[in-house]
Amino acid sequence: MARFLTIGERIHVISPTIRKALEERNPEPIIKRAREQVEAGAHYLDVNIGPADRDGEELMPWVVKVLQEEFPDTPLCLDTANMKALEAGIKVYDRKPGKPIINSADAGARIDMINLAAEYDAMVIGLCAKDGIPRDNDERIMYCTEILERAMEAGLSQENILFDPLFVVIKGMQDKQQEVLEAVRQISEMGLYTTGGLSNVSNGCPRELRGLIEATFCAMAIQCGLTSAIINPLDKLVMDVIKTADLIKERYLYADSYLDL
Amino acid sequence: MAYKMPVQKYSGKINEVTIGNGLKLGGESVLPFYSFDGDIGNKPAIGMEIWDIYPESWPKCLQEIFKDVADDPAKWANFCIYNYSPDFICLKFEGASPDGLDRSPEECAEIAKKVAESVSVPLVIAGCQSNEKNAKVFTKVAEALADKNFVFLSAVESNYKEVGAAVGMAYGNIVAAESSVDLNLAKQLNILITQLGIKPDRMVMDPGCSAVGYGFEYVVTTMDRIRLAALQQNDTTLQVPMILPVSFETWKVKESVATEDDAPEWGSQEERAVGMEISTAVGVLGAGANAVILRHPRSVEVVRNFINQMTE
Amino acid sequence: MALNGMQIYKLLPQKNCKECGFPTCLAFAMKLAQGNVEAEKCPYMSDDAKAKLSEATAPPMRTVKFGAGDFEYALGGETVLFRHEKTFVNRPRFAVMFSDAMSSDEVDRKIKNVNEVNYTRISEEMHVEIAAFKCEREDKDAFISLIKKVTDSCPKVVPMIMTENTEIAEEAVRQFGDKGPILFGANDQNYEAMVNLAKDHKLLLGVTAAGKEKLYELVEKIQKAGYKELLLDAGSRNLKGTFDDMINIRRTALLSGDRTFGYPTVAFVCDMAQDKMMQLACATLFVEKYASIIVLSDIDYSIALPLFALRQNIFTDPQRPMRIEQGIYKIGAADEESPLLVTVDFALTYFIVSGEVERSKVPAWILIPDAGGYSVLTAWAAGKFNGKSIAKAVKEFEVENKLKTRELIIPGKVAVLKADIEDELPGWKVVVGTEEAATLTNFLRNYKQAAS
Ligand code: SF4
């Protein structure tokens, strides 16, 4: 079985530093954040440029090139709602380190992203949602299979889709956590791959608790079948727990020094 | 529907390690002998075991073959090379054993040097029962044979620092990591040895051996899992050629030591012992061994024939 | 062949009625493909769809049988390529080759050898299970009388009748059908008659063709003719080619999920070399990977001891390690004064200990109590290897009557048991042995010297 896939989340337009760097086309801060994440062991880097309605088609290729020149061995996850920007980004993307991931399609307005992924032989994150957070798991699985059907029609095989059941915040939605884990299990039992944004879970919690909450949720989700997550790789606890969970899942052989590798 | 052959293509590849001047081990990127899948790398090598002392404890039928030369390791080595052309000689310092002759490291180094100077093939230096003593012996022998690319069998959990530092770092020889049929220790030892600064292509491993019938399933399973991790999961810590000292194990089991008086119904002792040695050697080769160590000339001949047929 | 979720989805009514407990037919189909749910959960599936599904979920490799009575054996049924993934289930069986072209001296010699190799190793009886009979002279009577002679003299072997001549096959099957023989020799020309013969007598049918491609076509035809008790031979008679056949036939079944090759295979080691040691080498490889019947030219202890031992090891269930029978074992010419050791009933431990005792040349006794089949420390930690279990074994196996010695050597790793055992066994002295079996040889020599 393949190792758990980690997608580093720290190149995000929400961060003022990144926003400024994107606006000014200043590579330095972006490269710095990328380097930290690569060194911490992230497999993929997410690149969120926001809606980028105005200049997305030019911005996405720029940032893709900046990152790939510096990190030729690290594949990217292109994150924006702007389809044109995604297409432009994929066109300049060098797939030597791995296929690009499109973040993200859903079962509603953004279902066409599936076709985009099929057209360009990319991977795609499929949000099991239509508008807003799904009501229950029946709805989640409905959306999941709607996305899957669209993918089959478009000729995109299931290994290329990471289904995201939509992780929800613990503070305020504590009663939904088990349901999300159950959704991970149900999707996994269909033989599909899954992912989710771990920081969604700990949003708004005290800083010193966030890593613990995310790591614990992640371990529990991995047991339900979770195959990947969008995370902050600088959080050593989360990374160590993922390595350990992979170990317990027998995805690689144990040795006393496994955390050093 | 026409037949379609399945293929197992892997991302990992076993390191190619050079012993002595040009004996190459490893390099394969498929399961052992799966030439229909891809590159099977270098032919597995065969070594012959000799001792620094006369092998009093070997079965008579085996002593008989070497009795005229076994008093002198250099003569013994050349006798083997001349008559049976092994790929390497394994010189085992049984005489260093604190329970036996307790030969000093300096004396061992003297002998090793003499043997090395007289032979045309690489050496694999093996120690005695005591890991503590072996560390001292290996240090001196490695110094005497500096930069020869000879293999030292072996570094274990309790002495890897000393053995690694001397054999691998200071004197430019090749460390064999020995883990007695313990998968996780096998991996850990490899990690620890590379952490000493030894390059992955300057080491080999002995995952532990036993004779067929004596828990051999553990040997096979350990080797299978090491190879699958190396090839399938691309686990770089385990992409190390494996050397199996088959003869250390097979010549002490009942099937080989029982004389014809002890077990008349079993027939020739020599043939039984050779059978155990051949079957064990092929058993580990089939599970991924890149080199085997043997004692009996007949075993060498048959195992070589087997390897040639499988690889040519 | 196994179906994926989409292929199953197409077989479903696509009503999305949720009666199966899933929100959509596709969700149900995906889960079916993973084998995580029963097909019956959907009440609306057509019979045709059900048939296709059950065909797709059958095991990848058939289990077939041959032989009769006490000598009936199962072959195949494997689900994994490596024993650690689960376990191997049906061990390969060994055959010795006879032919009607052999001199009667040769036949007699082989009969003698087959009967001589017969011994027990860890509660398993070891002997050649099959006598293969190659019909080379196309002389029906000579062939039948050869089979008769050998099967009369070797009551434990099941015959494998090897001929492509259907008339001779028919006669042999008529005469020896009650032994559950293997009928070997269905080829492209004769397969219809051979299938009928095998069907009538419920026999395992050996199918042979030149190469995997031709074999594949032939098996497809035979399956269409409705017969599935098969043993495959892709025709290679050399080592490398046979290895290729064994690996790829097995992988086709288990990795590709293609049941056309989901049958056991036979390796004709007898044709790979004249030298018996070379045959031993070839047979060793095929015990590991992946023959179900291994045909040798002949047998003696020098090749039987390693081969049977190897087979016993490789086909041990990894979840249930081998245990040695409890009792008191005599090593060498031990008498009532000889040293007495105790260790656990985990077969590997026993073998290592007994091997070292043997090597020391000090005759001795080894007592094996019921220790749950664990290694020394594990058994001790689990409370299975202690004063009670050891004292029980001393009584049960009447050690006090058999031996004069009242000293018991225990493994050094469980030195803590000394007092415990001495409490349970009044009049006995416990001697702490070595931590590792490897140093037992010296220990025993010194122990004996001190005693005398
Ligand atoms: S019961 Fe059958 S028809 Fe109804 S949803 Fe389930 S699979 Fe579809």
Side-chain angles (χ1 to χ4, degrees):
Chain A
M1 208 196 305
R3 295 283 287 266
F4 190 84
L5 185 83
T6 51
I7 306 172
E9 67 183 4
R10 288 179 48 78
I11 301 175
H12 200 292
V13 76
I14 284 188
S15 142
T17 333
I18 295 294
R19 187 163 51 227
K20 189 152 170 277
L22 286 173
E23 266 164 23
E24 295 170 358
R25 304 285 192 272
N26 174 11
E28 292 314 316
I30 299 171
I31 287 173
K32 180 165 170 279
R33 283 216 169 177
R35 174 159 294 120
E36 286 167 357
Q37 297 187 91
V38 170
E39 280 169 2
H43 299 125
Y44 265 83
L45 294 183
D46 188 75
V47 187
N48 184 308
I49 58 166
D53 293 327
R54 227 167 5 89
D55 60 350
E57 275 173 79
E58 186 250 318
L59 178 57
M60 190 57 104
W62 176 79
V63 66
V64 165
K65 278 197 229 148
V66 162
L67 286 169
Q68 289 213 302
E69 239 159 64
E70 199 66 28
F71 307 101
D73 298 329
T74 307
L76 302 176
C77 177
L78 312 186
D79 190 353
T80 174
N82 181 340
M83 193 126 143
K84 287 256 149 58
L86 284 171
E87 200 169 349
I90 294 174
K91 278 188 179 151
V92 302
Y93 180 88
D94 173 8
R95 28 188 84 226
K96 228 177 287 123
K99 289 182 188 180
I101 301 179
I102 294 171
N103 190 2
S104 58
D106 66 10
R110 279 158 69 163
I111 197 155
D112 291 340
M113 299 275 193
I114 296 290
N115 301 71
L116 185 70
E119 192 183 335
Y120 288 96
D121 187 26
M123 290 175 71
V124 60
I125 292 175
L127 276 182
C128 302
K130 206 162 226 161
D131 25 36
I133 296 167
R135 209 173 306 122
D136 56 21
N137 278 350
D138 266 10
E139 228 174 66
R140 280 194 173 88
I141 303 300
M142 278 270 276
Y143 297 147
C144 164
T145 51
E146 278 174 28
I147 293 171
L148 191 59
E149 265 182 86
R150 171 67 75 101
M152 301 298 167
E153 283 163 19
L156 182 72
S157 66
Q158 64 186 64
E159 307 85 61
N160 290 306
I161 315 171
L162 301 171
F163 289 92
D164 182 346
L166 225 69
F167 295 174
V168 293
V169 64
I170 193 156
K171 220 167 146 180
M173 297 185 78
Q174 194 182 353
D175 57 336
K176 295 285 183 208
Q177 299 299 323
Q178 283 302 313
E179 193 178 274
V180 174
L181 292 175
E182 180 53 31
V184 173
R185 185 188 302 283
Q186 288 181 12
I187 298 169
S188 303
E189 280 177 356
M190 294 196 263
L192 302 172
Y193 297 146
T194 46
T195 194
L198 266 191
S199 52
N200 288 7
V201 183
S202 68
N203 234 328
C205 301
R207 215 186 173 74
E208 68 275 17
L209 293 181
R210 290 196 66 167
L212 178 62
I213 292 169
E214 288 175 21
T216 308
F217 182 87
C218 191
M220 294 172 79
I222 288 174
Q223 177 56 12
C224 296
L226 190 71
T227 48
S228 127
I230 304 159
I231 60 162
N232 173 7
L234 300 192
D235 194 322
K236 188 161 183 312
L237 179 62
V238 174
M239 292 299 276
D240 284 353
V241 163
I242 287 172
K243 273 186 192 164
T244 309
D246 262 353
L247 191 68
I248 292 167
K249 283 266 176 182
E250 227 195 325
R251 287 172 180 152
Y252 64 100
L253 285 178
Y254 175 82
D256 291 345
S257 303
Y258 76 91
L259 285 181
D260 301 348
L261 297 174
Chain B
M1 207 166 50
Y3 174 61
K4 201 165 147 269
M5 195 181 99
V7 182
Q8 285 167 291
K9 280 267 177 247
Y10 297 121
S11 47
K13 182 173 185 256
I14 308 305
N15 300 328
E16 187 171 85
V17 177
T18 304
I19 314 292
N21 277 331
L23 175 61
K24 288 190 165 67
L25 300 184
E28 68 270 32
S29 52
V30 295
L31 288 169
F33 305 119
Y34 283 35
S35 44
F36 33 79
D37 277 355
D39 184 2
I40 57 171
N42 294 290
K43 257 189 204 188
I46 301 173
M48 282 183 87
E49 177 187 352
I50 67 167
W51 283 12
D52 66 320
I53 53 171
Y54 188 88
E56 215 58 78
S57 60
W58 289 11
K60 283 281 169 307
C61 54
L62 185 59
Q63 281 185 38
E64 192 59 31
I65 301 168
F66 306 110
K67 66 176 192 308
D68 295 335
V69 291
D71 277 323
D72 177 347
K75 255 200 206 150
W76 189 353
N78 281 297
F79 176 82
C80 289
I81 295 166
Y82 181 77
N83 290 297
Y84 317 118
S85 349
D87 300 305
F88 61 91
I89 290 288
C90 171
L91 170 57
K92 190 169 194 300
F93 282 99
E94 199 63 28
S97 172
D99 294 336
L101 202 57
D102 204 9
R103 196 162 243 167
S104 73
E106 289 74 13
E107 234 181 307
C108 294
E110 205 50 50
I111 294 167
K113 204 162 170 204
K114 236 183 89 195
V115 174
E117 276 163 6
S118 78
V119 297
S120 51
V121 297
L123 293 183
V124 168
I125 304 293
C128 61
Q129 289 280 1
S130 161
N131 295 323
E132 210 182 315
K133 179 69 180 280
N134 287 345
K136 298 195 181 81
V137 171
F138 290 167
T139 303
K140 282 288 162 204
V141 175
E143 186 182 2
L145 303 178
D147 301 318
K148 290 268 191 206
N149 277 341
F150 289 165
V151 175
F152 284 70
L153 203 64
S154 47
V156 297
E157 202 179 7
S158 65
N159 70 10
Y160 80 93
K161 276 190 190 147
E162 229 177 315
V163 174
V167 171
M169 298 304 293
Y171 302 121
N173 283 297
I174 291 166
V175 183
E178 178 189 337
S179 44
S180 38
V181 202
D182 179 338
L183 190 59
N184 301 123
L185 179 59
K187 178 165 171 172
Q188 179 67 8
L189 255 189
N190 287 0
I191 296 172
L192 292 172
I193 287 173
T194 40
Q195 282 175 351
L196 291 177
I198 292 172
K199 295 258 157 28
D201 66 348
R202 304 282 296 159
M203 60 182 294
V204 296
M205 64 197 289
D206 167 12
C209 193
S210 77
V212 288
Y214 292 81
F216 193 69
E217 69 273 28
Y218 297 96
V219 174
V220 168
T221 285
T222 304
M223 295 179 73
D224 280 346
R225 297 191 63 183
I226 287 174
R227 273 297 165 264
L228 287 171
L231 299 173
Q232 218 166 42
Q233 301 175 343
N234 199 10
D235 187 332
T236 53
T237 66
L238 291 168
Q239 289 168 348
V240 174
M242 296 193 277
I243 178 167
L244 276 283
V246 169
S247 52
F248 296 7
E249 302 300 324
T250 66
W251 288 90
K252 65 183 187 193
V253 298
K254 184 171 177 178
E255 288 83 347
S256 307
V257 296
T259 62
E260 280 144 50
D261 292 338
D262 295 338
E265 70 285 4
W266 279 1
S268 158
Q269 181 188 359
E270 187 167 9
E271 292 210 336
R272 272 185 270 130
V274 167
M276 291 300 284
E277 188 165 46
I278 289 173
S279 189
T280 303
V282 171
V284 295
L285 288 167
N290 301 90
V292 290
I293 297 168
L294 307 171
R295 280 183 192 167
H296 200 287
R298 180 97 190 272
S299 310
V300 173
E301 183 195 334
V302 171
V303 174
R304 176 176 304 114
N305 187 6
F306 172 85
I307 291 173
N308 287 343
Q309 288 196 29
M310 290 301 285
T311 52
E312 281 167 6
Chain C
M1 212 177 292
L3 299 177
N4 68 28
M6 239 15 219
Q7 288 163 324
I8 296 176
Y9 177 58
K10 293 199 182 114
L11 297 173
L12 295 175
Q14 306 181 5
K15 290 155 69 109
N16 291 343
C17 70
K18 301 191 185 183
E19 279 179 49
C20 55
F22 292 87
T24 66
C25 292
L26 182 54
F28 179 68
M30 296 297 292
K31 205 148 162 176
L32 257 182
Q34 298 295 307
N36 284 328
V37 66
E38 303 279 305
E40 283 72 52
K41 286 267 163 73
C42 170
Y44 305 110
M45 213 185 292
S46 69
D47 287 344
D48 176 47
K50 275 186 204 152
K52 281 202 181 114
L53 262 176
S54 80
E55 153 71 20
T57 47
M61 186 187 188
R62 273 182 84 80
T63 304
V64 300
K65 292 207 163 90
F66 71 96
D70 287 347
F71 305 109
E72 192 187 54
Y73 305 99
L75 302 175
E78 304 297 344
T79 56
V80 293
L81 290 172
F82 297 95
R83 60 183 290 283
H84 66 265
E85 294 173 315
K86 193 163 183 189
T87 177
F88 292 156
V89 285
N90 287 311
R91 59 199 56 204
R93 300 296 169 177
F94 294 110
V96 164
M97 182 62 98
F98 290 86
S99 145
D100 55 4
M102 281 173 190
S103 71
S104 67
D105 281 358
E106 195 176 355
V107 170
D108 289 341
R109 199 191 67 231
K110 287 194 189 189
I111 288 174
K112 183 167 160 280
N113 289 344
V114 166
N115 284 330
E116 251 172 30
V117 173
N118 196 347
Y119 64 107
T120 301
R121 188 178 201 275
I122 326 181
S123 344
E124 185 187 344
E125 227 194 290
M126 307 294 194
H127 58 79
V128 169
E129 289 100 354
I130 302 164
F133 298 98
K134 198 190 272 174
C135 179
E136 292 183 277
R137 283 165 46 197
E138 302 295 317
D139 174 343
K140 196 189 324 185
D141 296 337
F143 188 57
I144 299 289
S145 71
L146 170 71
I147 303 176
K148 184 157 168 34
K149 177 175 179 180
V150 175
T151 51
D152 282 351
S153 328
C154 308
K156 292 186 174 174
V157 299
V158 179
M160 174 153 100
I161 299 160
M162 297 180 61
T163 177
E164 297 180 359
N165 180 329
T166 51
E167 204 184 309
I168 295 178
E170 197 166 343
E171 180 59 18
V173 165
R174 203 178 58 77
Q175 296 229 14
F176 305 102
D178 57 337
K179 290 184 178 294
I182 301 165
L183 175 59
F184 184 95
N187 61 25
D188 201 31
Q189 261 89 59
N190 69 10
Y191 75 91
E192 278 158 327
M194 289 297 244
V195 164
N196 285 333
L197 199 52
K199 250 188 203 168
D200 288 347
H201 295 266
K202 297 196 173 55
L203 301 181
L204 178 57
L205 179 63
V207 181
T208 181
K212 293 187 281 292
E213 293 75 14
K214 291 221 168 73
L215 179 65
Y216 190 86
E217 285 168 22
L218 180 55
V219 174
E220 280 188 323
K221 286 186 203 158
I222 291 176
Q223 285 183 332
K224 271 208 196 92
Y227 206 58
K228 294 191 166 177
E229 304 304 308
L230 309 179
L231 173 73
L232 305 187
D233 166 36
S236 297
R237 291 295 180 268
N238 62 18
L239 172 61
K240 194 177 179 183
T242 307
F243 184 66
D244 183 332
D245 292 348
M246 296 296 138
I247 302 286
N248 283 305
I249 290 175
R250 183 66 59 89
R251 291 199 304 195
T252 303
L254 300 191
L255 285 185
S256 316
D258 183 346
R259 282 183 211 84
T260 307
F261 272 171
Y263 299 96
T265 47
V266 51
F268 290 97
V269 165
C270 53
D271 294 334
M272 294 175 200
Q274 301 269 306
D275 176 20
K276 70 171 177 181
M277 288 300 170
M278 189 59 197
Q279 287 194 17
L280 167 63
C282 301
T284 296
L285 184 69
F286 296 127
V287 169
E288 275 180 12
K289 286 177 177 178
Y290 295 108
S292 290
I293 291 181
I294 296 171
V295 188
L296 303 159
S297 307
D298 203 348
I299 190 89
D300 68 20
Y301 274 98
S302 70
I303 58 178
L305 290 170
L307 277 183
F308 286 117
L310 171 72
R311 180 180 77 176
Q312 189 171 46
N313 279 172
I314 299 294
F315 285 79
T316 307
D317 184 344
Q319 271 78 45
R320 252 178 299 139
M322 275 189 292
R323 283 174 80 168
I324 181 127
E325 232 168 295
Q326 297 145 38
I328 176 151
Y329 291 82
K330 183 176 176 175
I331 311 290
D335 60 25
E336 50 187 29
E337 307 282 357
S338 301
L340 171 66
L341 301 95
V342 65
T343 190
V344 291
D345 56 347
F346 177 40
L348 183 54
T349 306
Y350 171 78
F351 272 138
I352 292 171
V353 171
S354 63
E356 293 299 331
V357 173
E358 214 135 334
R359 217 155 61 95
S360 76
K361 300 273 173 208
V362 177
W365 300 90
I366 301 179
L367 177 67
I368 301 295
D370 177 2
Y374 301 119
S375 64
V376 170
L377 278 178
T378 316
W380 168 72
K384 303 256 181 202
F385 188 53
N386 53 25
K388 269 208 182 59
S389 64
I390 292 168
K392 188 164 159 258
V394 167
K395 298 213 171 82
E396 201 176 327
F397 305 113
E398 297 174 3
V399 176
E400 296 191 344
N401 293 337
K402 285 183 189 149
L403 307 185
K404 287 223 174 86
T405 183
R406 290 295 178 265
E407 283 191 7
L408 180 63
I409 303 168
I410 66 170
K413 281 189 175 148
V414 289
V416 291
L417 283 178
K418 184 173 161 50
D420 180 27
I421 300 170
E422 284 174 349
D423 283 352
E424 296 280 342
L425 282 175
W428 282 76
K429 186 181 157 212
V430 168
V431 178
V432 176
T434 59
E435 291 244 346
E436 297 296 335
T439 44
L440 202 55
T441 307
N442 269 331
F443 173 89
L444 276 179
R445 286 187 192 139
N446 297 337
Y447 178 81
K448 203 183 112 202
Q449 251 167 22
S452 57

